[in-house]
Each structure stands twice: as structure tokens, then as C-alpha cells.
Amino acid sequence: MPYINIKVTDENVTNKQKQLLIEGVTKILVDVLDKKPETTHIVIDEVPITNWGFNGEQYAQSKKFKNEK
Amino acid sequence: MPYINIKVTDENVTNKQKQLLIEGVTKILVDVLDKKPETTHIVIDEVPITNWGFNGEQYAQSKKFKNEK
Amino acid sequence: MPYINIKVTDENVTNKQKQLLIEGVTKILVDVLDKKPETTHIVIDEVPITNWGFNGEQYAQSKKFKNEK
Amino acid sequence: MPYINIKVTDENVTNKQKQLLIEGVTKILVDVLDKKPETTHIVIDEVPITNWGFNGEQYAQSKKFKNEK
Amino acid sequence: MPYINIKVTDENVTNKQKQLLIEGVTKILVDVLDKKPETTHIVIDEVPITNWGFNGEQYAQSKKFKNEK
Amino acid sequence: MPYINIKVTDENVTNKQKQLLIEGVTKILVDVLDKKPETTHIVIDEVPITNWGFNGEQYAQSKKFKNEK
């Protein structure tokens, strides 16, 4: 009976990446806790970079984000 | 003091359905726990079907979704 | 594919009340959105009254709580 | 290690207001609990007013909302 | 900037299993989305089986739970 | 209509600190977004340090935690 909520910044996550996240996280719940895939639900929330705060500032304004771009 | 978060797949939930969800869930909190409607908050999140994982795959790709369509 | 999280203050919610919440909320999702019970998950979180803030103060300290007791 | 999720109704929150929310809430966590800004994450979710229920009805339909407009 | 919340039923999850969940899920975020481990936070919530609803009833009362025991 | 969920590691947060978190965060919502305190709800979740993952390991096992102790 697991439910997993993944919050990531909305930076062009592809459909393929969503598939891999869902497959991978489900597999871990199955392997580690012996959960069944059909009762394992995963919700991915993509958060605008203006709405994610980190180190006291918007991620959109952070050095980290600017450097990585 | 209840707060209820409803996550559903984003499949054309109508405004009328949202009203019915809010009325119905509020009524249950009032009836079962004697909560007051004015302190009962409900948030409905509509999740894209590409972002909901179930049975190790995207709901958008699942047999269940395809059959029901 | 609904997932519902109910947060209520921890004030002696009985097992019977939990059953009624789960039955009632599931029924609404089934009736309003035609969801299947076997893919409807509900999690009830009971929050200590010292940890719930309302009107700028702990619920444990509020007039509302004290009057209702 | 704090994570803070702020849910507000989607009513034209400006970028400046998001900055102030993030700065302000981070500062409180630092001041009160001695947390480090670089491990303090904040996510702001803007919820459509049709999806927020309050007093048994959609916030979009409530007297409160209509009066304030 | 990922934050992952894992909700599982409280059925004697061991400390070792928690470590494996955290390692495994972090690795997936790193591998799939190129996230950094030091900005990846994971919170595991263990939910009492009386508080998890599934198929319209408490998980504690379900056939599934009883059969698996 | 704000709802704020604060997740912090469970490291002896005092009742006074909870009061200050609630007062402070409510004030920010009032000041920045002109929200009313009586519709601002805050829930503080204290997460066991074995259940918080960071940098791919349990916070309970991290250098950061050990050094700070």
C-alpha cells in the first residue's frame, strides 16, 4: 500500500524520464518492502522554478540554477 | 480542523463534479466527526495522466486506461 | 486513480469513525467520478493539537478548542 | 531539514510575493529552529479557485470570494 | 531539487529497509533526472493500518491484509 | 485560503517553538498576500530522523547530523 509523491522542478522532464521514474521507484518498493505493483501509486508534480524556494530564494533566481544553465 | 487533499487523474473533471466532491466530502467530515464546514478545507489536484504511475507504468500507458477509453 | 489525504486534529477519532470516513469518502469518489473502489486509496493523518495552527495560534491554545471542551 | 509546502488559491500571486514568501518563511525556520537556509526547501502550489473547497462549496462560488472581489 | 514523500503502511519497516528505500530512490532521481543527492530529500511516513483506506474499507480489515498475514 | 504544511526532523521541537512557527508563518501570509489568519491553517509534521533521507542516506546516519550533535 505505498503512495509516493515526487516533487521536482519543472525543467522539461520528458515522458521517457517519467516512465523511468515510475518504473524505478515502483521496483524499489517491490524489492525492498515486497509491495505489489498494482497497489503502488506514484504521483509526479512538476513545480515551476519560480515556486520552489531554496536557500531563502527562488530556485529561478539562485546561482545554482543560473550556473547549471 | 480538517484539511483534505484529493488527487485525481486529470480526465475532464467538470465544475459540477468538483462541487459535488466538495459538498460530499465536507458533509462526511461534519456527519462523522462533527467538524464545522467553515473550518473544513478541501483541495483538489488534477494530475496529468502521464504523471500518475500505477502498476509500474504511467496511467496513460496502462491497459486499464486504454480499455476504459 | 484517486488518492485522498485527510488531515484532522488528533482528538480521539475512534476506529468506527475511521471506517465511516473511508467508506463515505470512497463512495463519493465512486458516485461522482465513477472511480473504482479498488484503486481509491485514503490516508488519515491525526495531527496533535499542539501541531495544528489556526488563526495564528496553536489549536491547543485557541478559544475555539477551549470552548468546545 | 525542513520542507514547507504552501498551498494558496491561484489569485495572481506575483513573482515578488513569491520571493517574499520564500524569504520570510525560510527566515522563520532559521530563527526559530536554527535550520540552515541551504537545507530548507519551500514549494508554493497555486490552486485554482474552482478546486478549493471551503464551507462546503467551491471558493470560486463563496460569498467571501465574491465580496472580496 | 526533488522532494519525495513515501507513504507506506506501518508494518514493521526495519531501519535497513528505510536505508535501502532512501538509497534506491535517491539513485533513481540522480540517474534519471541528473539531480544531486545533496538536494534530494526523502520523507517516509509510516501510516497505521487502521488509517489507510483501500477498496472502501480499512486496510486493517481487508481480506488482502488478513490473507497476507 | 492558505494551508501550510511544515515538515521538520523530530529533534525536540518545543511547544514554544511550535507557537513561534505558527505565529511567524501566519504573519507572513497575512503581510505578503493579505490573507486572513482565520482561514490560514498550518500543520507541523515532526519526522523521525530515521525516516528523513538526504544525500542518499538517513539523516540519522549523516555526517551533518553527527557533527551537529
Side-chain angles (χ1 to χ4, degrees), chain B residues 11 15 18-19 24 26 30 34-35 38-41 43 49 59 63 69:
Chain B
E11 299 176 88
N15 201 52
K18 292 177 187 178
Q19 287 178 13
T26 303
V30 171
D34 202 25
K35 299 295 183 182
E38 63 267 27
T39 57
T40 300
H41 291 260
V43 167
I49 60 172
Y59 181 55
K63 279 186 202 156
K69 284 287 155 185

Side-chain angles (χ1 to χ4, degrees), chain B:
Chain B
M1 296 304 177
Y3 168 80
I4 298 101
N5 184 213
I6 299 174
K7 287 191 183 279
V8 291
T9 38
D10 184 6
E11 299 176 88
N12 303 310
V13 181
T14 67
N15 201 52
K16 182 62 187 171
Q17 288 174 319
K18 292 177 187 178
Q19 287 178 13
L20 291 172
L21 287 175
I22 289 167
E23 282 174 28
V25 172
T26 303
K27 188 173 184 321
I28 287 169
L29 272 295
V30 171
D31 289 352
V32 175
L33 293 181
D34 202 25
K35 299 295 183 182
K36 295 180 180 172
E38 63 267 27
T39 57
T40 300
H41 291 260
I42 298 173
V43 167
I44 301 169
D45 290 326
E46 296 168 273
V47 178
I49 60 172
T50 51
N51 288 26
W52 195 298
F54 167 67
N55 205 12
E57 64 186 348
Q58 288 175 303
Y59 181 55
Q61 300 300 328
S62 68
K63 279 186 202 156
K64 185 173 181 313
F65 176 70
K66 289 175 178 169
N67 287 345
E68 285 177 354
K69 284 287 155 185

Side-chain angles (χ1 to χ4, degrees), chain A residues 1-9 11 13 17 20-21 24-25 28-29 32-33 35-36 39 52 54 59 64 68, chain E residues 1-9 11 13 17 20-21 24-25 28-29 32-33 35-36 39 52 54 59 64 68:
Chain A
M1 295 301 179
Y3 168 81
I4 299 104
N5 183 214
I6 299 174
K7 287 190 184 279
V8 292
T9 39
E11 299 176 87
V13 181
Q17 288 174 319
L20 291 172
L21 287 175
V25 172
I28 286 168
L29 272 294
V32 176
L33 293 181
K35 299 294 184 182
K36 295 182 180 171
T39 57
W52 195 298
F54 168 65
Y59 180 55
K64 183 174 183 311
E68 285 178 353
Chain E
M1 297 301 181
Y3 168 80
I4 299 102
N5 183 213
I6 299 173
K7 286 193 183 278
V8 291
T9 38
E11 299 176 85
V13 181
Q17 288 174 319
L20 292 172
L21 287 175
V25 173
I28 286 169
L29 273 293
V32 176
L33 294 181
K35 300 294 182 182
K36 295 183 180 170
T39 58
W52 195 299
F54 168 66
Y59 181 56
K64 184 174 182 311
E68 284 177 356

Side-chain angles (χ1 to χ4, degrees), chain B residues 1-9 11 17 20-21 24-25 28 32-33 35-36 52 54 59 68, chain C residues 1-9 11 17 20-21 24-25 28 32-33 35-36 52 54 59 64 68:
Chain B
M1 296 304 177
Y3 168 80
I4 298 101
N5 184 213
I6 299 174
K7 287 191 183 279
V8 291
T9 38
E11 299 176 88
Q17 288 174 319
L20 291 172
L21 287 175
V25 172
I28 287 169
V32 175
L33 293 181
K35 299 295 183 182
K36 295 180 180 172
W52 195 298
F54 167 67
Y59 181 55
E68 285 177 354
Chain C
M1 296 301 177
Y3 168 80
I4 299 103
N5 183 215
I6 299 173
K7 287 191 182 280
V8 292
T9 39
E11 300 176 86
Q17 288 174 319
L20 292 172
L21 287 175
V25 173
I28 287 169
V32 175
L33 293 180
K35 299 294 183 183
K36 295 183 179 170
W52 195 298
F54 168 66
Y59 181 56
K64 183 173 183 312
E68 284 178 352

Side-chain angles (χ1 to χ4, degrees), chain F:
Chain F
M1 295 304 175
Y3 168 80
I4 299 101
N5 183 215
I6 300 173
K7 287 191 183 279
V8 292
T9 38
D10 184 7
E11 298 176 86
N12 302 313
V13 181
T14 66
N15 202 51
K16 183 64 187 170
Q17 288 173 318
K18 292 176 187 178
Q19 287 177 14
L20 291 171
L21 287 176
I22 288 167
E23 282 175 28
V25 172
T26 303
K27 187 173 183 323
I28 286 169
L29 273 292
V30 170
D31 288 353
V32 175
L33 293 181
D34 201 25
K35 298 295 183 183
K36 297 183 178 169
E38 64 266 29
T39 57
T40 301
H41 291 261
I42 298 173
V43 167
I44 302 168
D45 290 324
E46 297 168 273
V47 179
I49 60 172
T50 51
N51 288 29
W52 195 299
F54 167 67
N55 205 10
E57 63 186 350
Q58 287 175 305
Y59 181 55
Q61 299 300 329
S62 68
K63 277 184 202 157
K64 183 173 185 308
F65 176 72
K66 289 175 179 168
N67 286 346
E68 286 178 353
K69 283 288 155 182

Side-chain angles (χ1 to χ4, degrees), chain D:
Chain D
M1 296 304 177
Y3 168 81
I4 300 102
N5 183 214
I6 300 175
K7 286 189 183 281
V8 292
T9 38
D10 185 6
E11 299 177 85
N12 302 312
V13 181
T14 67
N15 202 51
K16 184 63 187 170
Q17 288 174 319
K18 292 176 187 179
Q19 287 177 13
L20 292 171
L21 287 176
I22 288 166
E23 282 174 29
V25 172
T26 302
K27 188 175 183 321
I28 287 169
L29 272 293
V30 171
D31 289 351
V32 175
L33 293 182
D34 201 26
K35 298 296 181 181
K36 297 182 179 170
E38 64 266 28
T39 57
T40 301
H41 291 260
I42 298 174
V43 167
I44 302 170
D45 290 325
E46 297 169 274
V47 179
I49 60 173
T50 50
N51 288 28
W52 195 299
F54 168 66
N55 205 13
E57 63 186 350
Q58 285 175 305
Y59 181 56
Q61 300 299 329
S62 69
K63 279 185 200 155
K64 184 173 185 310
F65 176 71
K66 289 175 179 168
N67 287 345
E68 284 178 354
K69 283 287 153 182

